[in-house]
Amino acid sequence: MSGTRQSGERVPGERVAQAFARMLAAGHLRLGGDPAAAALLAAWAARAWSAADAGDACVAVDDAAARAALADSPMVAAGAAARPLVLDRGALYLYRLWQAECAIARAVRELDTAAPLAAAPARERALAHVFGRLDANDAQQRAVACALARRLTVLSGGPGTGKTTTLARLLVAHAGLAPQARVAFAAPTGKAAARLAQSVAQQLSDLDPTGEIGARLPALGLTVHRLLGTRAAGVAVLDFDLVIVDEASMLDIELAARLLEAIGPGTRLVLAGDRDQLASVEAGAVFADLCASAGDAVVVLGRNYRQQDAPDIAALAAQVRDAALAGSEWPASIALSPALPAAIVREAIAAWRDAFAAVAEAAPPSRVLAAWERHRVLAALRDGPLGVEALNRAIAPHVRRLSGAAPRESWYAGRLVMVTRNEPGLGLFNGDVGVCVAHAGPAGEPRPSTAAAASRLVVAFPGFGGEPRLFPVLQMPACEDAWAMTVHKAQGSEFESVALVPAAPGHPLNTREMVYTGVTRARSRLAIWGARATLEEASRRPVQRHGRLAARLTESAPPGDRTP
C-alpha cells in the first residue's frame, strides 16, 4: 500500500497538484523544452506532488522512455541543481524532499560513529550503577551502552517495553560521566514533549533519590521546532551535549533533516520511538528507515514489562503488528462490537462517570483532568458518521447536560478541548488537550456561586511539575472538542481505557500501523467498535512510504547526485 495521509485530516485535492503541473509545463516550454514532452512532464509533476501529499518522498518512474524524456526537461535536475523536480535512482522527487533525504543520509553517516564518553571501565561502572549488574543480553543496557559510546542511538520499542526507564538510566549514567553536560528533551509535538519530561522525572525519583541529577536537567520538554528555533540552515548548531527526541516516528523527512543538520560535532543524539507506529503525516518514514538501516546505532526493546497488567492488549497488538490475527484466538477481555455511534457514545459517557462527578463537585483541576484522561474515543477517520467530528457532536450534548451547562454555551465546565494551532508564547501547541473548569480562586476563598464560577472559567492543561497550567478561556487559541480524537493525534498519549473505531474495510486508512497505534494507546482496557475482519484486513496492509532513504543509508560511499 502506498503512503496515505494517516490522520484522517482533510487534505488538499488534486487542484493543487494540477496547478503545479501546469506551472511546470509552462516553464518547460518557456525554457526551450521539447513541446512533445510537456504533457508527459505535467502528468509526472502532478503525480510527484500527489505522492508527496500522500506521504511518499518520491514516485518511481519505471518506464525508460519516460525517464529519458523527464531527464531532458529544464524543469528536472539529475543532480544538485535547484530545479522543481529531481530524477534520482529511477524516481522523481520534489526538489525539497530530495534535498532533505540526501541531507539525512549525510548527517546520519557523520553521526553514526564511535565517540566514547569515557574509557570502557568507567562506562561499565556507570552501567552497573544504574542497572545493578551487567548483562550484555539486556536490550536496555545495550541502548545505554550505545549512547555512552556512540554519537547516534536509535531506540525503538512499543508501549511497556521500558523506553522511558532506559532514557532515565541513560541520563543518570551520562551525568555520572559528564556532570556538566547540557541536555535537551524534545518531541515532534508539545504534548509528547511535556509527557517525555514528566515521565523521565518520575523514573528519576528512584534512580536519583537526592534529586541532584534531576536538578541539572531541563524541567520542560520542547517541541523539535522550538528546539531548532530560528536556526539558519548551515549556520548554527544546537548548543547541547545530549539531545533526546521521543516519538521520533512522527518526524517527517524535512523536520528530521533540519534536526540532524543542527547536531554539532560534540553532540550525542538519541532518537526514541516505536518503528511499528504510524509515520508522520507529512512525507517520509524516517524513523522506520533508520531502524531498518542504521546498523550499530539501532537497539530494539522487545520485552513487554506491562504484559502482566494487560496481557490481552499486548497480545492483540503483537498479532496486528505481525499480521498473525487471522486464525488466532480473540483476546477474552477485549470487547468487539458493531460500530454503532449511539453505543460508542453511551460507553464513553459511562466511562467518564468520575469525570462528571469531579466537575459537579468543582474538584481541583488536577483531579478533573485525571478523570477525563482515563478514557478516550480514538477514531481512524475525522469525517463521516464514525469520524471524530460526528462523535464529538454526539457526545457534546450529554456532557453539557451532565455538567449542568446551558445548551448554547461555547465554554462550560467539563468541556474537553484540543488546541489546533501552535501558540509558543502561551506554551500551548497543536494537539495539547485540556479541560474547562470553574477556577476556585485563591486558596481559602469561599467556593463561588454558580454564576460567579461561570465568570471564572479556565482551561486546565497538564503541568510540567505536577500542577496543571490554567488559561482563561478568553486567552485560548483555536481549539476543538476532544472527547474523541484521531488515532494520529493520540500518538504520544496513553489512556487507561480506549474505545477504538477503525476505518471501514477497504478504506486507505484501514492499515496495520493505524490499528496497532490505536490498540497500544490503551493501558488496561480496550473496546473495539468494528468487525474482526476489518482488523484482519488492516493487519495485512502495512503502509509503504516510497523513498530511497533506506538505500542511501546502506551505501558504502557518501550519498551524492545520481543520474537517471
Side-chain angles (χ1 to χ4, degrees), residues 250-309:
M250 299 167 68
L251 290 172
D252 64 77
I253 192 169
E254 292 183 281
L255 184 58
R258 285 187 61 205
L259 171 66
L260 287 161
E261 287 184 309
I263 301 299
T267 302
R268 295 171 193 274
L269 175 64
V270 177
L271 298 174
D274 185 348
R275 62 183 179 181
D276 298 309
Q277 275 189 197
L278 288 166
S280 60
V281 174
E282 305 300 332
V286 175
F287 189 72
D289 286 339
L290 288 172
C291 288
S293 310
D296 294 339
V298 177
V299 181
V300 178
L301 305 179
R303 178 181 175 186
N304 192 319
Y305 292 88
R306 280 194 212 137
Q307 195 156 5
Q308 293 180 345
D309 299 328

Short mmCIF file of all heavy atoms in Angstrom, two decimals, residues 250-309:
data_model
loop_
_atom_site.label_atom_id
_atom_site.label_comp_id
_atom_site.label_asym_id
_atom_site.label_seq_id
_atom_site.Cartn_x
_atom_site.Cartn_y
_atom_site.Cartn_z
N MET A 250 7.18 10.24 14.47
CA MET A 250 6.36 11.34 13.97
C MET A 250 7.18 12.38 13.20
O MET A 250 6.62 13.34 12.68
CB MET A 250 5.63 12.01 15.14
CG MET A 250 4.69 11.07 15.89
SD MET A 250 4.13 11.75 17.48
CE MET A 250 3.10 13.11 16.91
N LEU A 251 8.49 12.20 13.14
CA LEU A 251 9.33 13.16 12.41
C LEU A 251 9.16 12.97 10.91
O LEU A 251 9.42 11.90 10.37
CB LEU A 251 10.80 12.96 12.77
CG LEU A 251 11.26 13.36 14.17
CD1 LEU A 251 12.69 12.89 14.39
CD2 LEU A 251 11.14 14.86 14.37
N ASP A 252 8.76 14.02 10.21
CA ASP A 252 8.70 13.93 8.75
C ASP A 252 10.09 14.19 8.18
O ASP A 252 11.02 14.57 8.89
CB ASP A 252 7.68 14.91 8.18
CG ASP A 252 8.05 16.36 8.44
OD1 ASP A 252 8.93 16.88 7.74
OD2 ASP A 252 7.46 16.98 9.35
N ILE A 253 10.24 13.97 6.90
CA ILE A 253 11.56 13.97 6.30
C ILE A 253 12.23 15.35 6.37
O ILE A 253 13.44 15.46 6.60
CB ILE A 253 11.48 13.46 4.83
CG1 ILE A 253 12.87 13.17 4.28
CG2 ILE A 253 10.72 14.42 3.94
CD1 ILE A 253 12.82 12.43 2.95
N GLU A 254 11.46 16.43 6.21
CA GLU A 254 12.07 17.77 6.24
C GLU A 254 12.43 18.19 7.66
O GLU A 254 13.49 18.78 7.89
CB GLU A 254 11.13 18.77 5.59
CG GLU A 254 10.98 18.54 4.08
CD GLU A 254 10.10 19.57 3.42
OE1 GLU A 254 8.87 19.44 3.52
OE2 GLU A 254 10.65 20.50 2.80
N LEU A 255 11.57 17.90 8.64
CA LEU A 255 11.90 18.24 10.02
C LEU A 255 13.07 17.41 10.52
O LEU A 255 13.96 17.92 11.22
CB LEU A 255 10.67 18.02 10.92
CG LEU A 255 10.84 18.42 12.39
CD1 LEU A 255 11.23 19.89 12.52
CD2 LEU A 255 9.56 18.13 13.17
N ALA A 256 13.10 16.13 10.14
CA ALA A 256 14.23 15.28 10.53
C ALA A 256 15.54 15.81 9.93
O ALA A 256 16.59 15.80 10.59
CB ALA A 256 13.99 13.85 10.07
N ALA A 257 15.49 16.29 8.70
CA ALA A 257 16.70 16.84 8.08
C ALA A 257 17.19 18.06 8.84
O ALA A 257 18.38 18.22 9.11
CB ALA A 257 16.43 17.19 6.62
N ARG A 258 16.27 18.95 9.20
CA ARG A 258 16.66 20.14 9.96
C ARG A 258 17.28 19.75 11.30
O ARG A 258 18.28 20.34 11.73
CB ARG A 258 15.44 21.03 10.21
CG ARG A 258 14.95 21.82 9.01
CD ARG A 258 13.85 22.79 9.44
NE ARG A 258 14.35 23.74 10.43
CZ ARG A 258 13.57 24.36 11.32
NH1 ARG A 258 12.27 24.09 11.36
NH2 ARG A 258 14.09 25.21 12.18
N LEU A 259 16.67 18.78 11.97
CA LEU A 259 17.19 18.34 13.26
C LEU A 259 18.59 17.76 13.13
O LEU A 259 19.52 18.14 13.86
CB LEU A 259 16.25 17.31 13.87
CG LEU A 259 16.74 16.59 15.14
CD1 LEU A 259 16.87 17.58 16.29
CD2 LEU A 259 15.80 15.45 15.50
N LEU A 260 18.77 16.85 12.21
CA LEU A 260 20.05 16.17 12.06
C LEU A 260 21.15 17.13 11.62
O LEU A 260 22.30 17.02 12.06
CB LEU A 260 19.92 15.01 11.08
CG LEU A 260 19.15 13.80 11.64
CD1 LEU A 260 18.65 12.90 10.53
CD2 LEU A 260 20.02 13.02 12.61
N GLU A 261 20.82 18.08 10.77
CA GLU A 261 21.82 19.05 10.33
C GLU A 261 22.22 19.99 11.46
O GLU A 261 23.30 20.60 11.42
CB GLU A 261 21.27 19.85 9.15
CG GLU A 261 21.22 19.07 7.85
CD GLU A 261 20.77 19.92 6.69
OE1 GLU A 261 19.73 20.59 6.80
OE2 GLU A 261 21.48 19.93 5.66
N ALA A 262 21.37 20.13 12.49
CA ALA A 262 21.67 21.03 13.60
C ALA A 262 22.51 20.38 14.68
O ALA A 262 22.95 21.05 15.60
CB ALA A 262 20.36 21.54 14.22
N ILE A 263 22.72 19.06 14.59
CA ILE A 263 23.51 18.36 15.60
C ILE A 263 24.99 18.66 15.37
O ILE A 263 25.55 18.32 14.33
CB ILE A 263 23.25 16.84 15.54
CG1 ILE A 263 21.76 16.56 15.79
CG2 ILE A 263 24.11 16.12 16.57
CD1 ILE A 263 21.24 17.01 17.13
N GLY A 264 25.61 19.31 16.35
CA GLY A 264 27.00 19.72 16.21
C GLY A 264 27.97 18.57 16.41
O GLY A 264 27.59 17.47 16.82
N PRO A 265 29.25 18.80 16.19
CA PRO A 265 30.25 17.73 16.26
C PRO A 265 30.45 17.17 17.66
O PRO A 265 30.96 16.06 17.81
CB PRO A 265 31.54 18.42 15.76
CG PRO A 265 31.29 19.88 15.94
CD PRO A 265 29.83 20.08 15.76
N GLY A 266 30.04 17.89 18.70
CA GLY A 266 30.21 17.38 20.05
C GLY A 266 28.92 16.90 20.69
O GLY A 266 28.88 16.62 21.89
N THR A 267 27.85 16.79 19.91
CA THR A 267 26.54 16.45 20.46
C THR A 267 26.18 14.99 20.19
O THR A 267 26.43 14.48 19.09
CB THR A 267 25.45 17.36 19.85
OG1 THR A 267 25.78 18.72 20.12
CG2 THR A 267 24.08 17.06 20.43
N ARG A 268 25.59 14.35 21.18
CA ARG A 268 25.02 13.00 21.02
C ARG A 268 23.52 13.13 20.80
O ARG A 268 22.87 13.97 21.44
CB ARG A 268 25.27 12.15 22.27
CG ARG A 268 26.71 11.88 22.54
CD ARG A 268 26.93 11.22 23.90
NE ARG A 268 28.35 11.27 24.19
CZ ARG A 268 29.22 10.34 23.77
NH1 ARG A 268 28.78 9.28 23.12
NH2 ARG A 268 30.51 10.47 24.02
N LEU A 269 23.00 12.30 19.93
CA LEU A 269 21.57 12.32 19.62
C LEU A 269 20.97 10.96 19.90
O LEU A 269 21.47 9.94 19.42
CB LEU A 269 21.35 12.71 18.15
CG LEU A 269 19.90 12.66 17.65
CD1 LEU A 269 19.03 13.69 18.37
CD2 LEU A 269 19.84 12.88 16.14
N VAL A 270 19.88 10.95 20.65
CA VAL A 270 19.11 9.72 20.89
C VAL A 270 17.72 9.93 20.31
O VAL A 270 17.00 10.84 20.72
CB VAL A 270 19.01 9.40 22.39
CG1 VAL A 270 18.14 8.15 22.61
CG2 VAL A 270 20.41 9.18 22.98
N LEU A 271 17.35 9.11 19.34
CA LEU A 271 16.01 9.13 18.75
C LEU A 271 15.26 7.92 19.29
O LEU A 271 15.66 6.78 19.06
CB LEU A 271 16.09 9.06 17.23
CG LEU A 271 16.81 10.22 16.54
CD1 LEU A 271 16.93 9.95 15.03
CD2 LEU A 271 16.07 11.53 16.77
N ALA A 272 14.17 8.17 20.02
CA ALA A 272 13.39 7.09 20.62
C ALA A 272 11.99 7.09 20.03
O ALA A 272 11.41 8.15 19.76
CB ALA A 272 13.32 7.26 22.13
N GLY A 273 11.45 5.91 19.81
CA GLY A 273 10.11 5.81 19.26
C GLY A 273 9.71 4.37 19.08
O GLY A 273 10.33 3.45 19.64
N ASP A 274 8.68 4.16 18.30
CA ASP A 274 8.16 2.83 18.02
C ASP A 274 8.09 2.68 16.50
O ASP A 274 7.27 3.33 15.85
CB ASP A 274 6.78 2.66 18.66
CG ASP A 274 6.22 1.25 18.50
OD1 ASP A 274 6.78 0.46 17.72
OD2 ASP A 274 5.21 0.94 19.17
N ARG A 275 8.93 1.85 15.95
CA ARG A 275 9.02 1.72 14.49
C ARG A 275 7.73 1.17 13.89
O ARG A 275 7.51 1.29 12.68
CB ARG A 275 10.19 0.82 14.12
CG ARG A 275 10.05 -0.60 14.65
CD ARG A 275 11.26 -1.45 14.33
NE ARG A 275 11.11 -2.81 14.87
CZ ARG A 275 12.03 -3.76 14.75
NH1 ARG A 275 13.16 -3.50 14.10
NH2 ARG A 275 11.83 -4.95 15.25
N ASP A 276 6.87 0.56 14.71
CA ASP A 276 5.64 -0.04 14.20
C ASP A 276 4.45 0.91 14.24
O ASP A 276 3.37 0.58 13.76
CB ASP A 276 5.31 -1.30 14.99
CG ASP A 276 6.39 -2.36 14.85
OD1 ASP A 276 6.76 -2.68 13.71
OD2 ASP A 276 6.88 -2.86 15.88
N GLN A 277 4.62 2.09 14.83
CA GLN A 277 3.54 3.06 14.91
C GLN A 277 3.38 3.79 13.58
O GLN A 277 4.17 3.65 12.66
CB GLN A 277 3.82 4.08 16.01
CG GLN A 277 3.40 3.64 17.38
CD GLN A 277 3.49 4.75 18.39
OE1 GLN A 277 3.49 4.49 19.59
NE2 GLN A 277 3.58 5.99 17.95
N LEU A 278 2.35 4.63 13.55
CA LEU A 278 2.14 5.49 12.41
C LEU A 278 3.36 6.35 12.14
O LEU A 278 4.01 6.82 13.07
CB LEU A 278 0.94 6.42 12.67
CG LEU A 278 -0.44 5.78 12.65
CD1 LEU A 278 -1.45 6.74 13.25
CD2 LEU A 278 -0.84 5.40 11.24
N ALA A 279 3.63 6.57 10.88
CA ALA A 279 4.68 7.51 10.50
C ALA A 279 4.11 8.92 10.52
O ALA A 279 2.96 9.14 10.89
CB ALA A 279 5.22 7.16 9.11
N SER A 280 4.91 9.89 10.13
CA SER A 280 4.48 11.29 10.13
C SER A 280 3.33 11.52 9.17
O SER A 280 3.13 10.77 8.21
CB SER A 280 5.66 12.18 9.74
OG SER A 280 6.09 11.83 8.43
N VAL A 281 2.58 12.59 9.42
CA VAL A 281 1.54 12.98 8.47
C VAL A 281 2.19 13.46 7.17
O VAL A 281 1.73 13.14 6.08
CB VAL A 281 0.66 14.10 9.07
CG1 VAL A 281 -0.33 14.61 8.03
CG2 VAL A 281 -0.10 13.58 10.28
N GLU A 282 3.26 14.22 7.29
CA GLU A 282 3.96 14.69 6.10
C GLU A 282 4.84 13.58 5.53
O GLU A 282 4.87 12.47 6.04
CB GLU A 282 4.80 15.92 6.45
CG GLU A 282 4.01 17.05 7.10
CD GLU A 282 2.89 17.58 6.22
OE1 GLU A 282 3.01 17.50 4.97
OE2 GLU A 282 1.90 18.08 6.77
N ALA A 283 5.56 13.89 4.48
CA ALA A 283 6.27 12.86 3.72
C ALA A 283 7.39 12.21 4.52
O ALA A 283 8.05 12.83 5.34
CB ALA A 283 6.83 13.47 2.43
N GLY A 284 7.59 10.93 4.24
CA GLY A 284 8.72 10.19 4.79
C GLY A 284 8.34 9.23 5.91
O GLY A 284 7.29 9.35 6.54
N ALA A 285 9.22 8.26 6.11
CA ALA A 285 9.12 7.32 7.23
C ALA A 285 10.54 7.20 7.80
O ALA A 285 11.15 6.14 7.80
CB ALA A 285 8.60 5.97 6.76
N VAL A 286 11.04 8.32 8.29
CA VAL A 286 12.46 8.43 8.65
C VAL A 286 12.83 7.46 9.75
O VAL A 286 13.85 6.75 9.66
CB VAL A 286 12.79 9.88 9.06
CG1 VAL A 286 14.23 9.97 9.54
CG2 VAL A 286 12.56 10.82 7.89
N PHE A 287 12.04 7.40 10.82
CA PHE A 287 12.41 6.56 11.95
C PHE A 287 12.43 5.08 11.55
O PHE A 287 13.35 4.34 11.91
CB PHE A 287 11.45 6.78 13.12
CG PHE A 287 11.88 6.11 14.38
CD1 PHE A 287 12.95 6.60 15.12
CD2 PHE A 287 11.23 4.98 14.86
CE1 PHE A 287 13.36 5.98 16.30
CE2 PHE A 287 11.62 4.35 16.03
CZ PHE A 287 12.70 4.85 16.75
N ALA A 288 11.44 4.65 10.79
CA ALA A 288 11.41 3.25 10.34
C ALA A 288 12.60 2.95 9.44
O ALA A 288 13.21 1.88 9.54
CB ALA A 288 10.10 2.96 9.61
N ASP A 289 12.97 3.89 8.57
CA ASP A 289 14.13 3.68 7.70
C ASP A 289 15.42 3.61 8.52
O ASP A 289 16.31 2.80 8.23
CB ASP A 289 14.23 4.82 6.68
CG ASP A 289 13.20 4.71 5.57
OD1 ASP A 289 12.68 3.59 5.36
OD2 ASP A 289 12.91 5.73 4.92
N LEU A 290 15.53 4.46 9.54
CA LEU A 290 16.71 4.40 10.41
C LEU A 290 16.78 3.06 11.13
O LEU A 290 17.85 2.46 11.24
CB LEU A 290 16.67 5.54 11.42
CG LEU A 290 16.95 6.95 10.89
CD1 LEU A 290 16.68 7.98 11.97
CD2 LEU A 290 18.38 7.06 10.40
N CYS A 291 15.64 2.61 11.64
CA CYS A 291 15.62 1.32 12.35
C CYS A 291 16.03 0.18 11.43
O CYS A 291 16.67 -0.79 11.86
CB CYS A 291 14.23 1.05 12.93
SG CYS A 291 13.81 2.09 14.34
N ALA A 292 15.67 0.30 10.17
CA ALA A 292 15.99 -0.77 9.22
C ALA A 292 17.42 -0.69 8.70
O ALA A 292 17.96 -1.70 8.24
CB ALA A 292 15.02 -0.71 8.04
N SER A 293 18.05 0.48 8.82
CA SER A 293 19.30 0.66 8.09
C SER A 293 20.47 1.22 8.88
O SER A 293 21.57 1.28 8.35
CB SER A 293 19.06 1.61 6.90
OG SER A 293 17.94 1.21 6.14
N ALA A 294 20.28 1.64 10.13
CA ALA A 294 21.34 2.38 10.81
C ALA A 294 22.30 1.50 11.59
O ALA A 294 23.13 2.00 12.33
CB ALA A 294 20.74 3.43 11.73
N GLY A 295 22.21 0.20 11.45
CA GLY A 295 23.24 -0.70 11.96
C GLY A 295 23.49 -0.65 13.45
O GLY A 295 22.59 -0.85 14.26
N ASP A 296 24.73 -0.37 13.82
CA ASP A 296 25.15 -0.43 15.22
C ASP A 296 24.43 0.57 16.11
O ASP A 296 24.44 0.43 17.33
CB ASP A 296 26.66 -0.20 15.32
CG ASP A 296 27.47 -1.32 14.68
OD1 ASP A 296 26.91 -2.42 14.53
OD2 ASP A 296 28.64 -1.09 14.34
N ALA A 297 23.83 1.59 15.53
CA ALA A 297 23.16 2.60 16.34
C ALA A 297 21.78 2.18 16.80
O ALA A 297 21.19 2.81 17.67
CB ALA A 297 23.05 3.90 15.54
N VAL A 298 21.23 1.10 16.24
CA VAL A 298 19.84 0.72 16.49
C VAL A 298 19.76 -0.32 17.61
O VAL A 298 20.46 -1.32 17.59
CB VAL A 298 19.19 0.15 15.22
CG1 VAL A 298 17.76 -0.31 15.51
CG2 VAL A 298 19.21 1.19 14.11
N VAL A 299 18.87 -0.04 18.57
CA VAL A 299 18.55 -1.01 19.62
C VAL A 299 17.03 -1.13 19.70
O VAL A 299 16.33 -0.11 19.79
CB VAL A 299 19.11 -0.58 20.99
CG1 VAL A 299 18.77 -1.63 22.05
CG2 VAL A 299 20.62 -0.37 20.91
N VAL A 300 16.53 -2.35 19.65
CA VAL A 300 15.09 -2.59 19.70
C VAL A 300 14.76 -3.26 21.03
O VAL A 300 15.34 -4.30 21.38
CB VAL A 300 14.63 -3.48 18.53
CG1 VAL A 300 13.13 -3.77 18.64
CG2 VAL A 300 14.95 -2.79 17.20
N LEU A 301 13.82 -2.68 21.77
CA LEU A 301 13.35 -3.25 23.03
C LEU A 301 12.16 -4.15 22.72
O LEU A 301 11.15 -3.68 22.21
CB LEU A 301 12.94 -2.14 24.01
CG LEU A 301 14.00 -1.08 24.32
CD1 LEU A 301 13.43 -0.05 25.29
CD2 LEU A 301 15.25 -1.73 24.91
N GLY A 302 12.28 -5.42 23.03
CA GLY A 302 11.22 -6.36 22.70
C GLY A 302 10.41 -6.86 23.87
O GLY A 302 9.25 -7.23 23.72
N ARG A 303 10.97 -6.86 25.06
CA ARG A 303 10.26 -7.41 26.22
C ARG A 303 9.23 -6.41 26.74
O ARG A 303 9.54 -5.25 26.99
CB ARG A 303 11.25 -7.72 27.34
CG ARG A 303 10.59 -8.26 28.60
CD ARG A 303 11.61 -8.53 29.68
NE ARG A 303 10.98 -8.93 30.92
CZ ARG A 303 11.60 -9.11 32.07
NH1 ARG A 303 12.93 -8.93 32.12
NH2 ARG A 303 10.95 -9.47 33.15
N ASN A 304 7.99 -6.87 26.90
CA ASN A 304 6.91 -6.00 27.37
C ASN A 304 6.74 -6.20 28.87
O ASN A 304 6.26 -7.23 29.34
CB ASN A 304 5.60 -6.33 26.64
CG ASN A 304 4.53 -5.29 26.88
OD1 ASN A 304 4.37 -4.78 27.99
ND2 ASN A 304 3.79 -4.95 25.83
N TYR A 305 7.12 -5.18 29.65
CA TYR A 305 7.04 -5.27 31.10
C TYR A 305 5.62 -5.06 31.62
O TYR A 305 5.35 -5.32 32.78
CB TYR A 305 7.97 -4.24 31.74
CG TYR A 305 9.42 -4.55 31.49
CD1 TYR A 305 10.06 -4.07 30.35
CD2 TYR A 305 10.14 -5.33 32.36
CE1 TYR A 305 11.40 -4.36 30.11
CE2 TYR A 305 11.48 -5.63 32.14
CZ TYR A 305 12.10 -5.14 31.00
OH TYR A 305 13.42 -5.44 30.76
N ARG A 306 4.72 -4.58 30.75
CA ARG A 306 3.33 -4.38 31.17
C ARG A 306 2.43 -5.56 30.84
O ARG A 306 1.25 -5.52 31.10
CB ARG A 306 2.76 -3.14 30.48
CG ARG A 306 3.16 -1.85 31.11
CD ARG A 306 2.26 -0.75 30.58
NE ARG A 306 3.03 0.48 30.54
CZ ARG A 306 3.00 1.33 29.52
NH1 ARG A 306 2.27 1.07 28.47
NH2 ARG A 306 3.71 2.42 29.56
N GLN A 307 2.98 -6.57 30.22
CA GLN A 307 2.15 -7.65 29.72
C GLN A 307 1.35 -8.32 30.84
O GLN A 307 0.23 -8.77 30.62
CB GLN A 307 3.00 -8.70 28.99
CG GLN A 307 2.17 -9.64 28.15
CD GLN A 307 2.98 -10.27 27.03
OE1 GLN A 307 4.17 -10.06 26.93
NE2 GLN A 307 2.33 -11.02 26.18
N GLN A 308 1.89 -8.37 32.05
CA GLN A 308 1.17 -8.97 33.15
C GLN A 308 -0.05 -8.15 33.53
O GLN A 308 -1.05 -8.68 33.98
CB GLN A 308 2.09 -9.13 34.36
CG GLN A 308 3.21 -10.14 34.14
CD GLN A 308 4.09 -10.28 35.37
OE1 GLN A 308 4.05 -9.44 36.27
NE2 GLN A 308 4.90 -11.33 35.40
N ASP A 309 0.03 -6.83 33.34
CA ASP A 309 -1.10 -5.96 33.69
C ASP A 309 -2.20 -6.00 32.63
O ASP A 309 -3.38 -5.89 32.97
CB ASP A 309 -0.62 -4.52 33.87
CG ASP A 309 0.41 -4.40 34.99
OD1 ASP A 309 0.31 -5.17 35.97
OD2 ASP A 309 1.31 -3.55 34.88
#
